[in-house]
Amino acid sequence: MAQNFEQFSQSDSRLLTIKEAADFLRISRRSLFYLISNGRLQTVKLSPRTTRISLKELQRLTEATFVAPASPFPPFNNDKREKKKPDTSAKPETGNVNKKAKCRMTPASDKAPEGVTHDTHYTLAEVMRKFGIKYGRFYEVRNRFQLPSVHAWGTTAFRKEDVEEAIAKYNEEQGKAQTEAYYTCFDIMQKYGLGKTQVRRFAETHGVRIKKAKGGRANLYLKADWEAARKKAEKTSASTKAKRS
């Protein structure tokens, strides 16, 4: 007789791929890598480019965090399971819940350390929402300015003053770096007397690296690439050769 899938999954010690592990926990790959980088999830390196996670390790994590894992095996077509009724005996949740975010903001089951309140600290979800910043970018800000954090309301929280100061400095640095390293389209048009279409075509033809300015409405052209391409184009230009002769 075939073994029940749930029983088999409990005793299975096979290694799962990153995608399978993420599906098992019902989270994204980014969230899975976050758990790995924080040391909450141990991996197995089969080779420099091959990483696996044991099913037992995932079950250990879900038991520790009270997350119901998904079965990595498909159910039988004739498997009729009863739907679980919602637990009405649970305490009502207090605080805010951002339904669009990947994490709850303030679960009622967790408390904050003494002196940590919503007036003094931002949760991670609040930072992302308030400043319109994605997790990867804030992770960069956090490491760049060594922002201290505390565990509060079931998530990571940061002092409001520290976050606001760090993001302001980061935005200032990014703007300064763009001014020093990149031309705007207007800069090139003014400096070399080109039209907007000419700027775009020259950059595309000569492989000038381009990135979007803050807000994504305009292109920025890397100065080093543009100057190198311009000098190379001058050497092969017919009008330049005629002037030299």
Side-chain angles (χ1 to χ4, degrees):
M1 181 182 291
Q3 191 176 9
N4 182 276
F5 278 112
E6 290 186 356
Q7 294 176 350
F8 181 70
S9 66
Q10 293 294 329
S11 61
D12 188 13
S13 59
R14 72 189 182 99
L15 300 178
L16 305 183
T17 64
I18 295 297
K19 183 181 184 305
E20 289 172 337
D23 292 342
F24 180 87
L25 295 176
R26 295 194 184 103
I27 61 177
S28 65
R29 289 165 59 96
R30 181 188 290 270
S31 298
L32 184 71
F33 284 124
Y34 177 70
L35 292 175
I36 295 172
S37 64
N38 277 5
R40 295 178 61 188
L41 196 60
Q42 301 299 318
T43 61
V44 178
K45 276 284 187 181
L46 300 181
S47 71
R49 300 182 64 180
T50 305
T51 301
R52 294 290 184 268
I53 303 173
S54 71
L55 186 56
K56 289 183 179 180
E57 176 67 8
L58 294 176
Q59 291 169 345
R60 178 198 63 75
L61 177 67
T62 56
E63 290 172 1
T65 55
F66 301 98
V67 177
S71 172
F73 305 98
F76 289 114
N77 293 332
N78 61 351
D79 185 16
K80 297 180 180 180
R81 299 180 182 179
E82 296 182 0
K83 293 184 179 180
K84 292 184 178 180
K85 295 181 180 180
D87 184 8
T88 56
S89 63
K91 294 181 180 179
E93 187 172 19
T94 60
N96 300 321
V97 176
N98 183 358
K99 295 181 179 180
K100 294 183 179 180
K102 294 181 179 179
C103 58
R104 292 182 181 275
M105 290 173 57
T106 55
S109 58
D110 292 282
K111 296 181 180 180
E114 186 177 354
V116 176
T117 69
H118 284 289
D119 293 328
T120 62
H121 286 69
Y122 289 124
T123 64
L124 179 58
E126 287 172 337
V127 172
M128 294 166 64
R129 185 186 61 194
K130 179 178 177 64
F131 296 96
I133 189 171
K134 293 184 178 180
Y135 172 77
R137 183 58 55 85
F138 182 64
Y139 184 78
E140 183 181 346
V141 174
R142 179 183 178 182
N143 289 339
R144 168 74 177 79
F145 296 98
Q146 295 294 304
L147 292 183
S149 62
V150 296
H151 186 78
W153 309 295
T155 185
T156 306
F158 306 86
R159 248 189 8 146
K160 288 188 175 183
E161 294 178 0
D162 295 339
V163 172
E164 292 165 359
E165 183 180 356
I167 290 181
K169 286 182 179 179
Y170 180 82
N171 289 338
E172 183 180 353
E173 289 179 359
Q174 289 296 103
K176 185 177 180 181
Q178 286 185 359
T179 302
E180 293 177 351
Y182 288 85
Y183 284 131
T184 65
C185 183
F186 180 76
D187 290 337
I188 297 173
M189 292 167 63
Q190 191 175 40
K191 185 173 183 179
Y192 297 104
L194 300 176
K196 188 174 182 180
T197 302
Q198 289 175 307
V199 172
R200 177 176 57 80
R201 287 179 177 174
F202 183 88
E204 292 174 352
T205 302
H206 294 84
V208 176
R209 280 172 284 185
I210 302 172
K211 77 172 184 177
K212 290 290 183 182
K214 191 174 181 180
R217 294 185 179 181
N219 288 334
L220 296 175
Y221 301 87
L222 189 64
K223 287 183 178 181
D225 285 2
W226 181 274
E227 295 297 342
R230 185 180 64 85
K231 290 179 180 178
K232 184 177 179 180
E234 284 182 351
K235 292 180 181 179
T236 57
S237 171
S239 59
T240 303
K241 288 181 179 179
K243 289 179 182 178
R244 290 175 180 171
S245 60

